Amino acid sequence: MRGDRGLVRLFAAVPVRGLGSSKSRLGPVLAPGEREALVARMLGGVISALRESGCAEVCVVSPDPRALKLAGRAGARPLRQRGAGLNPALEEARRQALKAGAQTLLALPADLPLLGAGDVRELLAAGSACAISPDATDSGTNALLLRPPDALPFRFGPGSFRAHLEEAAARGVELRVCRTPGLAFDLDTPADLARLRGLKRAIS
Ligand SMILES: Nc1nc2c(ncn2[C@@H]2O[C@H](COP(=O)(O)OP(=O)(O)OP(=O)(O)O)[C@@H](O)[C@H]2O)c(=O)[nH]1
Ligand SMILES: C=C(OP(=O)(O)O)C(=O)O
């Protein structure tokens, strides 16, 4: 989405650790090649959902050149991560969003296999407020929409949902909770993978 004067209204930051290094918790149940293919498929799906929702700038930030090459081929802007860690990666993407004059920044992980354009539009429907989507256990953060892009610090990691809510409360920032099945399901564990396979069998 571009506002008048060509400014970027919505800038999405998608962090990926790497095609071969992501989703290590799935190591016991997937061969390395299978895990890598799954990471690539999920990354492509998240990029597609963002582009279908009209997001003008989809920035994939990663230290992995192969993930960045895949991102570029999928129409995203690849950003080579310089620092280490998830929150520093998102800070590097936030700097790009601010340079682009973005009015809104959406931090969205690459491991949401059920995400669709409608889920992104649900987040954007939060009006002028910031929005957050927790994972299915209300412990992690599966989406963080910031208006303006520097409205809140990133606190991704264990217990990040509560941490982001506390940051918003401490700053008097309105942070609406947005829940949809596509935003709540992040694929982390073998149990998540079994559930996803069951869902796909049920709808096939
Ligand atoms: N760029 C970048 N992305 C990261 C980093 N750590 C995690 N991510 C991404 O952030 C998202 C959520 O992180 P996790 O659910 O912990 O994913 P993960 O680290 O691949 O999973 P595990 O290896 O099983 O812990 C995923 O898309 C990860 O690829 C990092 O250090 N840099
Ligand atoms: C890093 C996060 O993802 P996960 O909990 O899946 O590791 C988070 O939700 O903040």
Side-chain angles (χ1 to χ4, degrees):
M1 283 163 198
R2 286 188 180 277
D4 50 356
R5 302 194 308 280
L7 290 181
V8 171
R9 286 224 302 269
L10 174 59
F11 187 108
V14 180
V16 182
R17 189 198 292 268
L19 294 189
S21 54
S22 290
K23 301 293 107 186
S24 62
R25 284 170 275 182
L26 296 178
V29 293
L30 289 179
E34 292 174 314
R35 183 158 53 96
E36 192 166 306
L38 174 63
V39 170
R41 250 193 335 272
M42 288 198 293
L43 174 59
V46 167
I47 293 171
S48 298
L50 285 163
R51 288 171 59 83
E52 283 163 32
S53 72
C55 180
E57 280 281 359
V58 180
C59 173
V60 172
V61 52
S62 177
D64 176 17
R66 291 190 303 135
L68 296 176
K69 189 172 180 184
L70 186 156
R73 284 204 304 268
R77 174 210 289 225
L79 177 62
R80 182 71 180 263
Q81 180 178 344
R82 298 298 171 194
L86 174 52
N87 291 305
L90 287 168
E91 285 302 344
E92 292 176 32
R94 186 184 348 237
R95 279 199 289 278
Q96 296 302 314
L98 292 168
K99 272 169 64 177
Q103 297 161 321
T104 303
L105 172 61
L106 171 56
L108 204 62
D111 58 356
L112 304 176
L114 301 181
L115 187 80
D119 298 307
V120 179
R121 285 193 283 268
E122 279 281 319
L123 275 164
L124 292 170
S128 59
C130 296
I132 185 168
S133 297
D135 65 8
T137 60
D138 270 13
S139 62
T141 301
N142 283 354
L144 185 63
L145 186 89
L146 300 178
R147 292 182 170 111
D150 55 359
L152 291 176
F154 293 119
R155 297 281 305 277
F156 284 87
S160 66
F161 177 49
R162 173 179 297 280
H164 286 126
L165 290 174
E166 288 170 353
E167 290 286 356
R171 288 165 170 76
V173 169
E174 185 186 0
L175 181 59
R176 293 189 185 174
V177 179
C178 176
R179 297 177 191 273
T180 70
L183 285 163
F185 189 99
D186 62 325
L187 197 151
D188 286 327
T189 65
D192 294 334
L193 184 60
R195 187 159 153 253
L196 178 65
R197 284 170 170 167
L199 287 171
K200 292 197 170 179
R201 274 196 299 276
I203 57 177
S204 59

PDB file of all heavy atoms in Angstrom, residues 119-134:
ATOM      1  N   ASP A 119      -6.315 -12.495   6.868  1.00  0.00           N
ATOM      2  CA  ASP A 119      -5.759 -12.318   8.223  1.00  0.00           C
ATOM      3  C   ASP A 119      -5.015 -10.991   8.329  1.00  0.00           C
ATOM      4  O   ASP A 119      -5.100 -10.278   9.328  1.00  0.00           O
ATOM      5  CB  ASP A 119      -4.806 -13.482   8.543  1.00  0.00           C
ATOM      6  CG  ASP A 119      -5.521 -14.831   8.532  1.00  0.00           C
ATOM      7  OD1 ASP A 119      -6.558 -14.968   9.227  1.00  0.00           O
ATOM      8  OD2 ASP A 119      -5.061 -15.737   7.812  1.00  0.00           O
ATOM      9  N   VAL A 120      -4.275 -10.657   7.282  1.00  0.00           N
ATOM     10  CA  VAL A 120      -3.534  -9.382   7.282  1.00  0.00           C
ATOM     11  C   VAL A 120      -4.529  -8.217   7.297  1.00  0.00           C
ATOM     12  O   VAL A 120      -4.378  -7.256   8.054  1.00  0.00           O
ATOM     13  CB  VAL A 120      -2.605  -9.291   6.048  1.00  0.00           C
ATOM     14  CG1 VAL A 120      -1.847  -7.951   6.030  1.00  0.00           C
ATOM     15  CG2 VAL A 120      -1.627 -10.453   6.026  1.00  0.00           C
ATOM     16  N   ARG A 121      -5.594  -8.361   6.516  1.00  0.00           N
ATOM     17  CA  ARG A 121      -6.591  -7.288   6.485  1.00  0.00           C
ATOM     18  C   ARG A 121      -7.293  -7.135   7.837  1.00  0.00           C
ATOM     19  O   ARG A 121      -7.601  -6.021   8.276  1.00  0.00           O
ATOM     20  CB  ARG A 121      -7.622  -7.561   5.369  1.00  0.00           C
ATOM     21  CG  ARG A 121      -7.067  -7.293   3.973  1.00  0.00           C
ATOM     22  CD  ARG A 121      -8.153  -7.259   2.918  1.00  0.00           C
ATOM     23  NE  ARG A 121      -8.599  -8.611   2.579  1.00  0.00           N
ATOM     24  CZ  ARG A 121      -8.068  -9.320   1.575  1.00  0.00           C
ATOM     25  NH1 ARG A 121      -7.085  -8.803   0.849  1.00  0.00           N
ATOM     26  NH2 ARG A 121      -8.496 -10.529   1.285  1.00  0.00           N
ATOM     27  N   GLU A 122      -7.471  -8.246   8.543  1.00  0.00           N
ATOM     28  CA  GLU A 122      -8.060  -8.184   9.909  1.00  0.00           C
ATOM     29  C   GLU A 122      -7.169  -7.334  10.808  1.00  0.00           C
ATOM     30  O   GLU A 122      -7.624  -6.493  11.579  1.00  0.00           O
ATOM     31  CB  GLU A 122      -8.132  -9.612  10.495  1.00  0.00           C
ATOM     32  CG  GLU A 122      -9.297 -10.437  10.041  1.00  0.00           C
ATOM     33  CD  GLU A 122     -10.583 -10.069  10.778  1.00  0.00           C
ATOM     34  OE1 GLU A 122     -10.544  -9.839  12.001  1.00  0.00           O
ATOM     35  OE2 GLU A 122     -11.612  -9.982  10.092  1.00  0.00           O
ATOM     36  N   LEU A 123      -5.865  -7.535  10.703  1.00  0.00           N
ATOM     37  CA  LEU A 123      -4.928  -6.761  11.537  1.00  0.00           C
ATOM     38  C   LEU A 123      -5.022  -5.276  11.201  1.00  0.00           C
ATOM     39  O   LEU A 123      -5.087  -4.413  12.082  1.00  0.00           O
ATOM     40  CB  LEU A 123      -3.497  -7.233  11.285  1.00  0.00           C
ATOM     41  CG  LEU A 123      -3.003  -8.434  12.074  1.00  0.00           C
ATOM     42  CD1 LEU A 123      -1.744  -8.990  11.425  1.00  0.00           C
ATOM     43  CD2 LEU A 123      -2.746  -8.066  13.523  1.00  0.00           C
ATOM     44  N   LEU A 124      -5.101  -4.980   9.899  1.00  0.00           N
ATOM     45  CA  LEU A 124      -5.131  -3.581   9.460  1.00  0.00           C
ATOM     46  C   LEU A 124      -6.444  -2.907   9.854  1.00  0.00           C
ATOM     47  O   LEU A 124      -6.519  -1.689   9.975  1.00  0.00           O
ATOM     48  CB  LEU A 124      -4.938  -3.510   7.940  1.00  0.00           C
ATOM     49  CG  LEU A 124      -3.547  -3.932   7.462  1.00  0.00           C
ATOM     50  CD1 LEU A 124      -3.532  -4.076   5.941  1.00  0.00           C
ATOM     51  CD2 LEU A 124      -2.518  -2.912   7.912  1.00  0.00           C
ATOM     52  N   ALA A 125      -7.480  -3.724  10.102  1.00  0.00           N
ATOM     53  CA  ALA A 125      -8.799  -3.149  10.424  1.00  0.00           C
ATOM     54  C   ALA A 125      -8.851  -2.604  11.839  1.00  0.00           C
ATOM     55  O   ALA A 125      -9.885  -2.130  12.312  1.00  0.00           O
ATOM     56  CB  ALA A 125      -9.877  -4.219  10.242  1.00  0.00           C
ATOM     57  N   ALA A 126      -7.699  -2.687  12.519  1.00  0.00           N
ATOM     58  CA  ALA A 126      -7.670  -2.221  13.928  1.00  0.00           C
ATOM     59  C   ALA A 126      -7.714  -0.698  13.976  1.00  0.00           C
ATOM     60  O   ALA A 126      -7.447  -0.102  15.012  1.00  0.00           O
ATOM     61  CB  ALA A 126      -6.410  -2.749  14.618  1.00  0.00           C
ATOM     62  N   GLY A 127      -8.009  -0.064  12.813  1.00  0.00           N
ATOM     63  CA  GLY A 127      -8.105   1.397  12.820  1.00  0.00           C
ATOM     64  C   GLY A 127      -6.745   2.020  13.025  1.00  0.00           C
ATOM     65  O   GLY A 127      -5.754   1.572  12.464  1.00  0.00           O
ATOM     66  N   SER A 128      -6.693   3.029  13.873  1.00  0.00           N
ATOM     67  CA  SER A 128      -5.421   3.751  14.051  1.00  0.00           C
ATOM     68  C   SER A 128      -4.558   3.097  15.133  1.00  0.00           C
ATOM     69  O   SER A 128      -3.419   3.456  15.330  1.00  0.00           O
ATOM     70  CB  SER A 128      -5.722   5.193  14.486  1.00  0.00           C
ATOM     71  OG  SER A 128      -6.462   5.135  15.720  1.00  0.00           O
ATOM     72  N   ALA A 129      -5.136   2.084  15.783  1.00  0.00           N
ATOM     73  CA  ALA A 129      -4.393   1.500  16.913  1.00  0.00           C
ATOM     74  C   ALA A 129      -3.331   0.532  16.411  1.00  0.00           C
ATOM     75  O   ALA A 129      -3.336   0.104  15.253  1.00  0.00           O
ATOM     76  CB  ALA A 129      -5.375   0.754  17.805  1.00  0.00           C
ATOM     77  N   CYS A 130      -2.437   0.203  17.334  1.00  0.00           N
ATOM     78  CA  CYS A 130      -1.502  -0.895  17.079  1.00  0.00           C
ATOM     79  C   CYS A 130      -2.273  -2.193  17.331  1.00  0.00           C
ATOM     80  O   CYS A 130      -3.327  -2.189  17.963  1.00  0.00           O
ATOM     81  CB  CYS A 130      -0.304  -0.806  18.025  1.00  0.00           C
ATOM     82  SG  CYS A 130       0.702   0.678  17.768  1.00  0.00           S
ATOM     83  N   ALA A 131      -1.729  -3.289  16.816  1.00  0.00           N
ATOM     84  CA  ALA A 131      -2.435  -4.567  16.989  1.00  0.00           C
ATOM     85  C   ALA A 131      -1.423  -5.684  17.223  1.00  0.00           C
ATOM     86  O   ALA A 131      -0.278  -5.607  16.758  1.00  0.00           O
ATOM     87  CB  ALA A 131      -3.291  -4.868  15.760  1.00  0.00           C
ATOM     88  N   ILE A 132      -1.880  -6.685  17.948  1.00  0.00           N
ATOM     89  CA  ILE A 132      -1.009  -7.832  18.248  1.00  0.00           C
ATOM     90  C   ILE A 132      -1.823  -9.108  18.140  1.00  0.00           C
ATOM     91  O   ILE A 132      -3.003  -9.132  18.503  1.00  0.00           O
ATOM     92  CB  ILE A 132      -0.391  -7.697  19.664  1.00  0.00           C
ATOM     93  CG1 ILE A 132       0.623  -8.820  19.937  1.00  0.00           C
ATOM     94  CG2 ILE A 132      -1.478  -7.667  20.741  1.00  0.00           C
ATOM     95  CD1 ILE A 132       1.474  -8.591  21.183  1.00  0.00           C
ATOM     96  N   SER A 133      -1.200 -10.153  17.587  1.00  0.00           N
ATOM     97  CA  SER A 133      -1.853 -11.471  17.520  1.00  0.00           C
ATOM     98  C   SER A 133      -1.005 -12.454  18.307  1.00  0.00           C
ATOM     99  O   SER A 133       0.163 -12.690  17.935  1.00  0.00           O
ATOM    100  CB  SER A 133      -1.972 -11.948  16.063  1.00  0.00           C
ATOM    101  OG  SER A 133      -2.802 -11.066  15.335  1.00  0.00           O
ATOM    102  N   PRO A 134      -1.563 -13.025  19.381  1.00  0.00           N
ATOM    103  CA  PRO A 134      -0.803 -14.016  20.150  1.00  0.00           C
ATOM    104  C   PRO A 134      -0.818 -15.371  19.450  1.00  0.00           C
ATOM    105  O   PRO A 134      -1.636 -15.590  18.529  1.00  0.00           O
ATOM    106  CB  PRO A 134      -1.578 -14.086  21.467  1.00  0.00           C
ATOM    107  CG  PRO A 134      -2.987 -13.750  21.088  1.00  0.00           C
ATOM    108  CD  PRO A 134      -2.894 -12.772  19.954  1.00  0.00           C
TER     109      PRO A 134
END
